[in-house]
Structure formats: C-alpha cells, structure tokens
Amino acid sequence: MSFVYTKQAGLITAFLLITQLVSASVSSEKLGTVSFPNSGSDKAQGHFLRGLAALHSFWYPEALSEFENSTKADPAFAMGYWGQAMAYNHPLWEEQNFKSARNVLAKIPNNPSITNRERDYIQAVRLLYGEGTKTKRDKAYSKAMKKVYSSYPNDLEAACFYSLSLLGIAKNAENKLPLQVESGAIALEVFEKNLDHPCAAHYTIHAFDTPDLARLALPSAKRFADIAPASAHAQHMPAHIFIQLGMWKEATNSNKKGWTTSVAWVKRKNLPKANRDYHSLQWSHYTNLQQGLLQDAAAVFAIQQKDMQMGIESKSNLRAGKYYPRMFAASILETEQWKKAEQNTPLKGWKPKMYPQAEYNFARGFAAAMQGDIINANKYLKELKTIREKNFRENYYKRINSLLVWELEIQVAIKLFQKDFSSAIELAKQATLIEAKLPAPSGPPRILKPTYELLGEVYLKANQPALAKEQFSISLQRHRNRLRSLVGAARSAKLLGDKSSAKEIYTQLLDQLKDADQGFPVLLEAKEFLNSL
C-alpha cells in the first residue's frame, strides 16, 4: 500500500494507490511542485518534499531544516539524510560544508527497503563528498548523476540534479558554453513537462545568464517568482535575466521582492539579520541608478549602512558589510559624482577582507584621479597593488585580474586629467584585454567600471567619436541598456553629426529615465538635445 501526498492550504491528504512504493509529490503555492517516489514512511513525506522544493530554490537553511525534520519523523529514512547532505553543497556559490555532510551520510541505514534508484542517488552524493579535490569530486558526482538521468528518463529530479551538476562544473571551466547549453536544455525539458517545477525555471536562468543566451531564459524568468513566492532567492533570480536584457523596471521589482521576502522570513523565524538578502539589496541599488532614481538608490544604500552599523556594533551581522564597497562604488561611478567618494567615509569599525578593501580602494582612487587629486589617486593605486601582491585566495568572484583592471583604470583617469590621451587609450586597451578573459557579465558589473565603456569615454575626450562609438557598442552588447554606455553612444553620434542615431538613443534614454529625479543631468541632456531638434 502506498500514498501520494498533496499539500494544499497546510493540509495533507492521502490517496490510496495500488503500488508498493511510497510515491510522494507535493503541489504548493509557495515553493512549486515536485515529485520524488521514495521508500520513506508516510509521516516523513511532507517535510521531505518541502525540503526538496526549497533545495531547488537554493533556500538552503529551509531545505536543511525540512530534511532534518523528515529524519526525525522517520530515523530510518535514507533519502532524508541524502537531502541533508545535498543542502550542505552550494555549487554555484562555491560553498560546501564537507564535514557536516560526511557526518550525515554516515547515518544512512543499511535498509533493505531502499530502492535501486535511491541507492543510485546516495552513491552519487557519496562521490560528491568522497576523496580528491573539489573539482574532481564535482566531476565524479556529475558523471554519476548523468547515469541516474539516463537510467530513469521519466525522473524529473534526476534531470534537475544532473542539470545543476553541469553548472557546478561550468563555474570554473575554461570552456563554459557547452556545459551551460546542455544544462539549460535539460532544465527546459523539465520546464516543458512541469511548468511549476522550481528547478526547471531556476536552472534555466542560471544556465543562460550570459549576454548572448539570456533571451532564451526570459520565459523562465517571468515564471520563476510565481512558482516559489516563499523563496527570497526565487524572487530575486529573474533579475539576472532582466538585467542581462536591460529590463530595469522588472529587475528592480524582482530585487525588491527578493529583499522584502527575506526580511519577512527573518522576522517570522526570529533569525539573525545576517540572513537578510543583501545581495538583492545591492542589485536593487544598481538598477535604481540605471533609471536615474537617485533618491531611491540612496534610500536602499541607507538600509545597507544602517544594518552594517548595527552589525559592527553587535558583531552579529558582518555580512551586511560585504556589499558596501560595491554600492559605494556604484553611487559614484554610475552618477559621476566624484566628490561623493570623499564625503562618504566607511563606518567606524568596518574591517573588510582583502577583496572588498580592493573594491573600495579602486572607487576612491578612480574618483580622486577624475578630480585631479593625483596624490590620493596614487595612494589608492599603491594600496591596490599591495593587496594584489599579497596573493589573496581567489575564486570565481574574486580574481587578481580584477585588481589589475582597477589599477589600469586609475592610471587611465590620471592620464585623462593630464590630457595625455594617447597613454590613456593604451592603458584602457590593456584593461579591455584583461576583462575580455574574465567570466561573462552577470548583474551589476563586477569589474565596477566596464572597460569598454571607459575606453569609449577616453576616445570621446580625445575627440575620436567614431572609435568611441565602436567601444560603446561593444559595451552595450555586454551590458544591455547600461546608462553610461548609452550616454556615451548618444554623445558619439551627436559629435559625428549622426542626428538620426543620436535622436534614437536620446529618446531611449528619455524613456529609461522617465521616472528619474528631475534634476538628473543625463535626463536634462536628453531633453535638451531632443528639444533642439
């Protein structure tokens, strides 16, 4: 005798089936619809399925809690321990709690009722926490999940976890594209079979989160937030595609939902504020700036700084400070309000790690150079070099190459102030060559000041609008509808006497800035040009 469990309005209704295996599925308006037949007892199913759905939305604390509840309800439930081990691995965030996962896997009982399919899943996760380097283990796990995916073609969970494993390998692969396309194709197959499956939309977004592929994930981006409204990450994730496509209003809305959902969850669970989604908050800050919403951006930045100050004082929320340098830099670089760099000093007690310190030093150094403060520009340039030469621990997000770019960009700004345009051009070209080898853009530029955009601005100052136009075009292919690149493109067209193109771009800017603060300089510039026609 077995049961299918359907969770609706908090009630569990059991339906008698004729199979011998418990076939568990859950349809929840909060986290989507998942199905995972298993040999666990009836009382463990609700927790297990909610944990599985949360896992697919990268809601790891909730997933872990539910999987733990499933094994409390049924201590012999092998897949409950499998789920806990899976929740300790965050493949796209480069995080893994190896020790805790190993301890959990040791609790899996030698239960004769475990099916061959379940054994295959367990064997795969044992490889994930087996011997060898993380890269080697990731590949072994992916190979095992590919076998599960092939052996059980109707198992959507096998498809999901294989798709995700490919993204985990792609993270640091030299040639990411084939892995991303394969992962996205598999996730889309799941999407076709179950429009409410959280993994289907989620992993499609991650797979196609590049300028060239993003359009393929737009349907998934529009759907994911509705699939799992309880998950802050699910509310935020569509912004990845919206930003890739320059859909600023939609991106702002997604990030706002991601933030507010996380705040509500933290309050409801009485969790530390460190669990708030400051990632969404930072992205919201950036998307506001792309629309000239300076007051809204300032309000968002104020939230971050308030939480950061409280965290410094209580030593309970240091995570809020992680995003401070990027928001600080965006406030300056996206508005060209260089004096803000001096006015906005770090909060007392802020002790950043090396990479955030480098981000901060770049913003201060670049702003100083743009104002002709060569002494301070060189001071921050020297500090950047010192951090780089300390050889901090690199990962996908934190790279020495980024520091090389920032050093070059400060030197570009110095040469610009000195009107040494030929040197500025050569330095900016070097920066573009380095950035071109970094991972494709995703979200707010991690390089902080896109190099092709800077090179375009240098060409403009050197009165070479045709060459400037080429660089802004490249920048806009990498960062759709990015405000400063659009401004550069409009100015290039204007200087070239191409009134038709200038009109088109300034009209686009006017639409993008329709809700902007009325005194925003770019808004006034667009209006002035269009009125002159």
Side-chain angles (χ1 to χ4, degrees):
M1 183 179 296
S2 81
F3 301 86
V4 170
Y5 275 76
T6 303
K7 188 173 183 181
Q8 294 177 331
L11 298 176
I12 304 289
T13 306
F15 296 94
L16 184 63
L17 296 180
I18 58 174
T19 60
Q20 295 182 345
L21 180 69
V22 171
S23 174
S25 68
V26 63
S27 177
S28 168
E29 63 181 11
K30 291 188 176 181
L31 288 173
T33 303
V34 296
S35 178
F36 197 107
N38 63 76
S39 57
S41 66
D42 301 344
K43 56 189 176 182
Q45 297 307 312
H47 294 300
F48 177 75
L49 291 168
R50 182 171 172 79
L52 187 64
L55 187 64
H56 284 311
S57 286
F58 292 178
W59 196 3
Y60 294 115
E62 189 77 2
L64 181 60
S65 176
E66 291 291 0
F67 287 132
E68 288 174 342
N69 287 336
S70 76
T71 55
K72 288 177 183 176
D74 181 1
F77 185 23
M79 294 309 292
Y81 299 109
W82 164 88
Q84 292 172 48
M86 291 293 290
Y88 283 125
N89 185 53
H90 312 160
L92 303 193
W93 300 349
E94 297 201 328
E95 298 171 352
Q96 186 183 78
N97 189 331
F98 186 87
K99 183 177 179 181
S100 295
R102 276 271 189 108
N103 290 338
V104 164
L105 291 174
K107 297 178 182 179
I108 295 179
N110 186 16
N111 191 334
S113 66
I114 299 175
T115 67
N116 288 333
R117 172 174 161 275
E118 290 173 294
R119 293 183 192 281
D120 290 341
Y121 273 91
I122 292 169
Q123 175 58 25
V125 79
R126 289 191 189 282
L127 293 172
L128 183 62
Y129 296 104
E131 302 300 324
T133 64
K134 178 67 163 57
T135 300
K136 182 179 178 180
R137 290 184 281 114
D138 283 346
K139 290 180 178 179
Y141 168 72
S142 182
K143 185 177 180 180
M145 283 312 305
K146 181 178 182 180
K147 184 177 179 181
V148 179
Y149 169 63
S150 301
S151 300
Y152 308 96
N154 295 321
D155 184 355
L156 297 187
E157 297 308 309
C160 286
F161 288 115
Y162 177 49
S163 171
L164 182 58
S165 75
L166 292 172
L167 292 178
I169 295 174
K171 198 71 179 174
N172 290 296
E174 189 170 332
N175 185 8
K176 298 175 173 56
L177 186 60
L179 294 166
Q180 288 176 290
V181 170
E182 178 69 9
S183 172
I186 293 169
L188 282 176
E189 289 176 0
V190 177
F191 198 52
E192 290 177 359
K193 296 175 182 177
N194 181 358
L195 287 172
D196 288 319
H197 201 299
C199 111
H202 189 189
Y203 302 165
T204 300
I205 292 171
H206 278 295
F208 297 146
D209 185 12
T210 71
D212 295 333
L213 301 176
R215 182 62 182 83
L216 297 173
L218 186 57
S220 299
K222 291 179 176 179
R223 178 86 183 114
F224 189 30
D226 292 333
I227 291 174
S231 164
H233 187 70
Q235 299 309 298
H236 157 77
M237 271 308 299
H240 281 248
I241 300 304
F242 295 148
I243 288 181
Q244 289 284 14
L245 299 176
M247 300 168 64
W248 300 118
K249 186 164 288 188
E250 292 85 351
T252 301
N253 187 47
S254 290
N255 288 311
K256 188 180 293 185
K257 285 182 178 179
W259 169 250
T260 56
T261 302
S262 75
V263 170
W265 172 62
V266 166
K267 184 177 181 180
R268 185 170 65 252
K269 294 278 190 176
N270 196 27
L271 299 171
K273 281 190 175 181
N275 289 281
R276 288 180 168 191
D277 186 13
Y278 294 101
H279 178 72
S280 286
L281 197 68
Q282 182 233 331
W283 282 42
S284 181
H285 179 254
Y286 175 77
T287 58
N288 278 322
L289 290 172
Q290 296 308 304
Q291 300 168 84
L293 302 171
L294 303 192
Q295 292 185 37
D296 289 355
V300 170
F301 197 12
I303 293 172
Q304 183 277 331
Q305 289 181 294
K306 180 182 177 182
D307 279 15
M308 180 178 169
Q309 182 68 70
M310 292 174 63
I312 291 171
E313 293 172 358
S314 65
K315 296 183 180 180
S316 63
N317 187 14
L318 300 181
R319 186 170 179 268
K322 173 182 177 180
Y323 297 97
Y324 168 76
R326 298 177 210 169
M327 297 170 81
F328 169 76
S331 296
I332 299 160
L333 297 170
E334 305 304 332
T335 64
E336 297 191 340
Q337 295 177 329
W338 310 119
K339 290 184 178 180
K340 273 194 171 184
E342 302 166 12
Q343 297 166 355
N344 194 335
T345 55
L347 299 174
K348 186 178 179 181
W350 182 51
K351 297 178 180 179
K353 294 183 179 179
M354 294 174 71
Y355 196 81
Q357 183 67 56
E359 293 173 314
Y360 175 76
N361 287 346
F362 163 68
R364 290 294 301 267
F366 191 83
M370 292 300 288
Q371 296 176 87
D373 183 355
I374 308 304
I375 293 176
N376 275 317
N378 280 316
K379 182 189 80 169
Y380 288 112
L381 186 61
K382 183 179 179 181
E383 291 184 10
L384 273 174
K385 185 178 179 182
T386 300
I387 292 173
R388 174 169 58 83
E389 290 178 345
K390 284 183 179 178
N391 197 25
F392 60 86
R393 185 178 178 182
E394 289 190 86
N395 62 25
Y396 179 83
Y397 302 104
K398 302 171 185 177
R399 298 169 182 255
I400 283 179
N401 287 347
S402 296
L403 274 70
L404 285 169
V405 169
W406 294 334
E407 290 173 40
L408 286 167
E409 290 189 325
I410 292 176
Q411 294 175 64
V412 169
I414 291 172
K415 295 300 180 183
L416 276 179
F417 180 79
Q418 296 171 342
K419 298 191 184 306
D420 183 355
F421 298 124
S422 60
S423 295
I425 289 169
E426 289 307 310
L427 289 165
K429 282 182 177 179
Q430 291 179 42
T432 63
L433 293 175
I434 297 173
E435 185 180 2
K437 295 180 181 179
L438 292 172
S442 171
R446 286 195 166 270
I447 209 69
L448 301 177
K449 177 63 176 178
T451 59
Y452 294 99
E453 179 178 276
L454 179 59
L455 180 55
E457 291 170 353
V458 173
Y459 276 130
L460 271 183
K461 289 183 181 295
N463 197 28
Q464 299 182 53
L467 293 174
K469 178 183 176 183
E470 292 177 8
Q471 298 307 314
F472 291 125
S473 177
I474 296 172
S475 183
L476 287 167
Q477 289 171 18
R478 293 167 60 83
H479 306 278
R480 306 277 180 84
N481 299 337
R482 180 175 154 79
L483 184 61
R484 301 247 58 98
S485 291
L486 281 173
V487 172
R491 291 172 180 171
S492 300
K494 181 180 176 182
L495 285 174
L496 287 167
D498 184 356
K499 289 187 178 181
S500 176
S501 295
K503 178 183 178 182
E504 181 181 347
I505 300 169
Y506 275 122
T507 300
Q508 179 181 345
L509 280 167
L510 202 61
D511 182 64
Q512 186 165 316
L513 300 172
K514 62 185 177 183
D515 297 321
D517 296 11
Q518 288 305 301
F520 189 53
V522 177
L523 176 63
L524 300 178
E525 178 182 336
K527 286 181 176 180
E528 181 181 354
F529 177 82
L530 293 171
N531 288 336
S532 72
L533 298 178

